[in-house]
Amino acid sequence: IYENGVVAESYTVIVEGDINGDSVIDVLDVSAVEQATNSHRELTGNYHLAGDSNRDGVVDVVDYQSVVNFALM
């Protein structure tokens, strides 16, 4: 949000399932959640929030299935 041409406030929009933040839920996001589920990758910050679809604090197989379903829509 700008005030007199200067950024007064900024916001981050997190899209559930869009792990890499490219505005598309696809195989890249599915792969990222799969890697996190198998402890081959750590998702932190906003990436973790995007991957934790059931908001239980853990990116796991339940979240993986959700991201797969989003990608197939």
Side-chain angles (χ1 to χ4, degrees):
I1 298 177
Y2 288 89
E3 218 172 85
N4 297 321
V6 177
V7 175
E9 291 185 52
S10 64
Y11 298 91
T12 300
V13 176
I14 300 169
V15 177
E16 182 180 343
D18 183 18
I19 313 312
N20 60 5
D22 66 355
S23 301
V24 179
I25 302 172
D26 58 14
V27 68
L28 298 175
D29 302 299
V30 170
S31 177
V33 172
E34 184 272 329
Q35 290 173 9
T37 300
N38 291 317
S39 300
H40 295 130
R41 177 178 183 171
E42 182 179 1
L43 297 177
T44 60
N46 293 335
Y47 304 106
H48 184 273
L49 292 173
D52 184 16
S53 62
N54 63 354
R55 301 292 182 249
D56 66 354
V58 179
V59 177
D60 57 18
V61 68
V62 175
D63 303 305
Y64 172 79
Q65 188 60 57
S66 292
V67 175
V68 168
N69 291 340
F70 289 140
L72 293 175
M73 291 182 166

